[in-house]
């Protein structure tokens, strides 16, 4: 064993220990898979071992002409969580949508010699690379790599006990549940108005119901399942731009926003606070599905928004008519942390900011620290009556429901 491979083995064990301590790994068979598969064999040559064996960083393996990631070896924590969420066991047949090689090797270790792993990718280069690397790592006879668009049924293969989707999906095409066995599990990073949750779905009558959820993001789906978002650039008084990105429901008459950033801002504060280092990812989802006119906001360097917390705090906003408000924070004096609020521009800025702040307060009362239940309702299966608070997002192949637990 060379010094490099010896250090890789040591880092592999340390990574596995961290995943066990963090609760991302809970079963012995998954633990053994992470101790066995050599992650460094599936990343670009020269990648530092510390980066390879990081708990929460992905390693990009292919980019487009603009440097945007098209494929990656996902962060180890989400790979472990997704395998555990799938309740994957020896001798099962599993479909991986989105190839890279490493995750397929983990799956092969979990299902063992009596199982079957099929990995599919739309990109011929990525599929060929995964096939080559799996062969070099000793998994060529245990994983079948298919180059095709996973929006459709995998030709000649299936059904599958488990399907793990390792790209960000905007929708769930009929092929995915159709290819599952009766008690199968689908684990998919699902985009909902720009916010992603990785969800384990099981059949529940005429629809799919969530059994487990994790916060994670992935490179977006390509091919027939791709979904383009709409973006608008608002110039500020310095000639810099703020970008508003909408998932589906683009407000009408966006021309009313012309010159809106030149108006005096107004801020409204909620009284809702969060401590330093505390995640508020559940607020992102709450606003995305319950705030009318929701959009994601990014600010070009040099704008007033970029000079504040906007860029750092993963900003979101809302548009109504000719007014625009965005999530804002300010330091609290009582303790380390910040208070949430909204800053707005435009003739109805105070009202739009007030609507955003009211949703922050509603989240604090009802949705904070509570992960909602998710459902996917294929076209033709009417969405059942849902408890408040809840939302339904229309998709091409059905609808997604998001329901928070009712306050006790």
């Amino acid at each position: 064993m060379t010094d490099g491979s010896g250090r890789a083995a040591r880092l592999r064990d340390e990574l596995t220990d961290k995943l066990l301590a963090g609760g991302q790994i809970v079963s012995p068979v998954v633990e053994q898979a992470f101790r066995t598969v050599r992650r460094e064999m599936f990343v670009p040559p020269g990648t530092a071992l510390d980066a390879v064996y990081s708990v929460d960083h992905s390693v990009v393996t292919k980019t487009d002409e603009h440097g945007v990631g098209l494929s990656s070896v996902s962060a180890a924590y989400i790979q472990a969580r997704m395998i555990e969420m799938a309740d994957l066991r020896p001798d099962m047949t599993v479909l991986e949508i989105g190839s890279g090689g490493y995750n397929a090797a983990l799956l092969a270790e979990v299902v063992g010699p009596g199982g079957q792993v099929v990995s599919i990718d739309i990109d011929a280069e990525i599929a060929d690379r995964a096939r080559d690397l799996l062969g070099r790592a000793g998994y060529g006879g245990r994983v079948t790599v298919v180059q095709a668009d996973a929006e459709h049924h995998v030709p000649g293969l299936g059904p599958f006990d488990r399907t793990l989707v390792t790209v960000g999906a905007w929708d769930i095409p009929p092929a995915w549940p159709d290819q599952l066995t009766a008690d199968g599990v689908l684990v998919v990073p699902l985009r909902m108005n720009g916010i992603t949750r990785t969800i384990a779905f099981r059949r529940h009558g005429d629809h799919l119901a969530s059994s487990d959820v994790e916060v994670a993001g992935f490179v977006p789906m390509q091919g027939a399942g791709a979904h383009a978002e709409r973006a608008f650039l608002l110039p500020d008084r310095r000639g810099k731009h703020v970008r508003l990105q909408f998932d589906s429901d683009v407000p009408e008459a966006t021309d009313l926003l012309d010159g809106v950033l030149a108006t005096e801002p107004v801020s409204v504060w909620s009284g809702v606070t969060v401590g330093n280092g505390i995640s508020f990812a559940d607020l992102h989802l709450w606003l995305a599905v319950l705030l009318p006119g929701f959009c994601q906001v990014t600010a070009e360097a040099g704008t007033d928004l970029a000079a504040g917390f906007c860029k750092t705090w993963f900003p979101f906003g809302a548009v109504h008519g000719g007014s625009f408000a965005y999530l804002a924070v300010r330091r609290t004096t009582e303790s380390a942390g910040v208070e949430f609020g909204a800053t707005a521009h435009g003739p109805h800025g105070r009202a739009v900011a007030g609507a955003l702040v009211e949703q922050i307060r509603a989240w604090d009362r009802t949705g904070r620290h509570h992960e909602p239940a998710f459902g996917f309702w294929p076209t033709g299966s009417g969405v059942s009556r849902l408890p408040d608070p809840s939302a339904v997002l229309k998709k091409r192949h059905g609808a997604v429901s998001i329901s928070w637990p009712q306050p006790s």
Side-chain angles (χ1 to χ4, degrees):
M1 181 179 289
T2 66
D3 290 343
S5 60
R7 182 165 181 260
R10 185 170 63 254
L11 290 174
R12 189 157 52 251
D13 279 336
E14 290 176 1
L15 170 64
T16 307
D17 291 341
K18 290 176 184 177
L19 295 172
L20 282 164
Q24 290 91 7
I25 292 178
V26 296
S27 57
V29 68
V30 177
E31 175 189 353
Q32 187 58 41
F34 272 82
R35 294 195 189 279
T36 301
V37 182
R38 297 170 60 188
R39 186 175 169 96
E40 70 273 14
M41 294 191 68
F42 297 92
V43 301
T47 305
L49 284 176
D50 288 336
V52 173
Y53 284 102
S54 169
V55 169
D56 55 5
H57 287 89
S58 61
V59 179
V60 175
T61 56
K62 182 178 180 179
T63 62
D64 66 12
E65 65 273 19
H66 305 294
V68 177
L70 296 176
S71 183
S72 67
V73 176
S74 299
Y77 89 92
I78 190 58
Q79 291 177 311
R81 276 287 288 134
M82 289 179 72
I83 295 173
E84 296 284 13
M85 291 166 72
D87 189 24
L88 194 62
R89 299 188 296 275
D91 301 330
M92 282 187 167
T93 299
V94 58
L95 172 65
E96 177 194 42
I97 297 175
S99 296
Y102 175 68
N103 194 63
L106 292 173
L107 298 173
E109 287 289 339
V110 175
V111 301
Q116 180 187 18
V117 177
V118 177
S119 183
I120 184 171
D121 203 287
I122 193 173
D123 189 315
E125 180 183 352
I126 292 172
D128 288 344
R129 178 182 182 275
R131 190 179 295 110
D132 177 61
L133 293 177
L134 285 163
R136 291 168 183 252
Y139 296 94
R142 301 172 64 179
V143 179
T144 300
V145 180
V146 177
Q147 189 271 311
D149 190 337
E151 179 85 357
H152 313 294
H153 290 79
V154 183
L157 297 169
F160 302 99
D161 299 299
R162 304 290 187 262
T163 295
L164 284 77
V165 183
T166 62
V167 290
W170 186 81
D171 201 358
I172 297 179
W176 296 357
D178 287 352
Q179 293 173 131
L180 281 178
T181 56
D183 58 349
V185 177
L186 168 66
V187 182
V188 54
L190 191 60
R191 288 166 55 204
M192 294 162 287
N193 219 1
I195 305 300
T196 300
R197 287 292 182 274
T198 299
I199 306 170
F201 282 112
R202 292 179 180 268
R203 297 184 192 276
H204 188 80
D206 62 350
H207 68 284
L208 302 175
S210 61
S211 58
D212 202 351
V213 180
E214 182 62 74
V215 177
F218 286 79
V219 296
M221 183 78 66
Q222 300 178 52
H227 176 76
E229 297 183 332
R230 296 280 303 280
F232 297 89
L233 295 179
L234 301 182
D236 72 357
R237 58 187 177 179
R238 302 173 182 175
K240 302 292 185 177
H241 290 89
V242 172
R243 177 186 175 96
L244 309 185
Q245 191 158 311
F246 298 89
D247 178 78
S248 296
D249 297 325
V250 180
E252 297 180 0
T254 52
D255 59 303
L256 295 177
L257 292 171
D258 290 347
V260 69
L261 293 181
T263 64
E264 285 299 313
V266 58
S267 295
V268 179
W269 299 100
S270 67
V272 177
T273 61
V274 63
N276 286 338
I278 304 299
S279 172
F280 52 92
D282 45 354
L283 173 61
H284 304 170
L285 181 65
W286 180 281
L287 294 177
V289 301
L290 293 176
L291 178 65
F294 175 85
C295 60
Q296 297 185 73
V297 184
T298 53
E300 185 181 355
T303 62
D304 291 335
L305 271 68
F309 280 106
C310 187
K311 188 174 183 179
T312 305
W313 286 80
F314 309 101
F316 306 99
V319 168
H320 180 72
S323 299
F324 157 63
Y326 62 91
L327 182 67
V329 293
R330 64 181 178 183
R331 296 291 180 188
T332 59
T333 56
E334 297 81 6
S335 60
V338 295
E339 177 187 4
F340 292 117
T343 297
H345 296 263
H348 307 291
R350 185 169 294 277
V352 179
L356 199 161
V357 163
E358 181 47 44
Q359 287 297 341
I360 295 171
R361 292 171 178 158
W363 162 78
D364 186 54
R365 293 191 302 267
T366 306
R368 193 167 191 169
H369 309 309
H370 296 287
E371 193 67 64
F374 300 87
F376 183 80
W377 307 78
T379 300
S381 61
V383 180
S384 298
R385 182 176 177 84
L386 302 171
D388 290 331
S390 62
V392 176
L393 302 179
K394 293 182 179 180
K395 303 288 186 176
R396 283 193 296 268
H397 300 296
V400 176
S401 62
I402 307 100
S403 304
W404 277 264
Q406 291 183 302
S408 56

